Amino acid sequence: MTNETTAAAGIAAWVAVFLSERAAELSPYSVIHLRASLMPMARALGDDAGAVTYADLRAYVDALALRYKPGTLRPTVGDIRQFWRWAKRKRLIDRNPAKRLRPPSRRVVTESAAPKSAPESDVAQVLGYLAGRLSTVVYRDLFGNLCPASLPEWSEDARHAARDLFVLAFLYETGCRAGELHTLPRRAMVDATAAPGPVYRVVASGKTGAVTLRFTAPVAELWLVWDAVRPAACAYAVYGWKSDGLPSAMTTQTISRMLARHCERVGVAPFRAHALRHAKVKRARGAVGVETAARLIGHSSAAMTAAYGVADDDELSAAALATGLSGRLWG
C-alpha cells in the first residue's frame, strides 16, 4: 500500500497497516491491546488524518479521562503516541501531532489507584474471626503451648478455619507471594519448625526462584495445629478440598477468594493475598527501613521495594492535614 493510498483511506487504514507490522514483533495479546487503544481513536478523529492536530488529540484524551482511571489511560496514551511516531517515520504525515501528548504520570497513577496494602485493622478482624471459630478445639497447656483437641472433636468447618488462619497469618508475617505458599512442601515446614525459636526460616520457590521466608513463634504454633488435623495425603503445606472431600491444589486464585470470603463475613473491604505483601512492606519500611524490608520479602533491589512502599491515601491525607491551613479565619 502506497503512502498516497494509505492517506486517502484514512486513519483506520493506517492503524490496520501499523497493527499488521507490529504483529510480527509482538504477542497476540499486545496486538489486541493496541487495537483496543487505536481503533476508537480512528473512529473519533475521522478520515482526514493529515488535518489531525495536537489539540484534537488532547481533546480526545481529555474525554477519555472522564471515563477511565489514570492507570487505564496511561498505556492508552502510550499506544497513541507510538502509532503517530510510526506514521511520521512512514512519512504519512509531515508532523507528529502526538509529540507533545503526555500520559498521566506514574505518581498520579499510583495515588489514584485503590490502596494495595491490606489495612492492619481489617487483617486483625479476620484473624480474630477465624481464631474464634477454633475456640472450642484449641487450648493452652500448663506450659503455655498451643494444643489441638483430639481429632474426633474437629469438624470439617474447624479444620477449614485452622487452614485459613494459618494461611492468613503466614502471608501477613512473611509477606510472601501466594504462589510461594501454595507450592510450599509440608516437609519444608516440618523441618523449619522442628526446633523452637523466636524466628523460623523456610525456603520456598516461586516467581523469582528460591526465597527464604521468616516467621515468628505465633505462626509456627498455628502451623503445628493445622498440621495435626490436616489429612496426611497431600505433600503441600496447604491445599483445598474438592466437593467430594478429597484434597486438591490450593491455587493463588483459591487463596485470594478464600480471603475475600472471610473479609465479607466480618464486614471489611475484601483484600487479596498480594495486599498482605504490600502490608508487610509498609510495616517493615517504618520498622527497619527499605533495604532490610527488601531482603525480608525477597526483592532483588531496594528500588523495587520502595515502589511497593509508597504512601497510601491515609498517609497522604494525614500529610495534607499536617501541612495545610491551621486555625480558622473567622471566630
Side-chain angles (χ1 to χ4, degrees), residues 88-315:
K88 178 66 167 59
R89 286 199 305 270
K90 292 290 184 177
R91 298 183 179 178
L92 298 173
I93 51 176
D94 295 327
R95 294 183 178 181
N96 178 1
K99 188 173 183 179
R100 293 188 289 131
L101 196 65
R102 294 290 180 267
S105 69
R106 294 186 184 277
R107 178 184 60 80
V108 169
V109 169
T110 299
E111 292 182 2
S112 65
K116 293 182 178 179
S117 176
E120 299 288 325
S121 59
D122 291 357
V123 176
Q125 285 193 59
V126 180
L127 286 169
Y129 161 73
L130 291 170
R133 287 172 56 179
L134 299 177
S135 59
T136 61
V137 287
V138 294
Y139 63 93
R140 292 199 179 274
D141 63 18
L142 294 176
F143 302 100
N145 300 310
L146 189 65
C147 305
S150 60
L151 199 55
E153 297 180 48
W154 283 76
S155 64
E156 284 301 300
D157 180 73
R159 290 168 67 191
H160 285 218
R163 179 206 63 187
D164 296 353
L165 182 57
F166 166 70
V167 168
L168 174 56
F170 189 85
L171 291 171
Y172 176 81
E173 270 238 327
T174 64
C176 76
R177 301 176 179 90
E180 293 163 350
L181 174 58
H182 95 83
T183 59
L184 182 64
R186 172 184 177 271
R187 173 50 56 187
M189 284 297 297
V190 170
D191 292 344
T193 56
V199 176
Y200 300 80
R201 299 169 183 81
V202 66
V203 176
S205 297
K207 180 180 178 181
T208 57
V211 59
T212 299
L213 305 173
R214 293 170 172 81
F215 55 96
T216 60
V219 176
E221 285 186 325
L222 296 178
W223 161 255
L224 295 174
V225 168
W226 160 235
D227 192 45
V229 300
R230 67 196 290 280
C234 188
Y236 292 115
V238 297
Y239 51 88
W241 285 270
K242 298 180 181 177
S243 57
D244 56 10
L246 295 176
S248 64
M250 193 174 193
T251 64
T252 56
Q253 293 85 357
T254 306
I255 292 172
S256 280
R257 283 198 299 268
M258 176 270 290
L259 293 173
R261 187 168 60 249
H262 291 316
C263 287
E264 291 171 359
R265 287 172 178 169
V266 301
V268 300
F271 53 77
R272 298 173 62 84
H274 207 71
L276 296 166
R277 184 170 172 83
H278 282 265
K280 175 72 172 183
V281 170
K282 185 176 178 180
R283 296 194 308 276
R285 181 187 63 190
V288 295
V290 173
E291 293 284 349
T292 303
R295 297 189 62 185
L296 268 179
I297 65 169
H299 274 165
S300 58
S301 72
M304 184 182 300
T305 310
Y308 270 57
V310 294
D312 61 17
D313 189 61
D314 287 343
E315 290 174 291

Side-chain angles (χ1 to χ4, degrees), residues 35-56:
R35 182 179 289 108
S37 295
L38 299 177
M39 290 309 295
M41 178 197 68
R43 290 192 293 269
L45 297 180
D47 290 336
D48 193 1
V52 173
T53 65
Y54 167 75
D56 296 327

Side-chain angles (χ1 to χ4, degrees), residues 22-36:
R22 299 298 284 156
E25 308 167 9
L26 302 176
S27 68
Y29 173 82
S30 296
V31 174
I32 291 171
H33 188 282
L34 281 170
R35 182 179 289 108

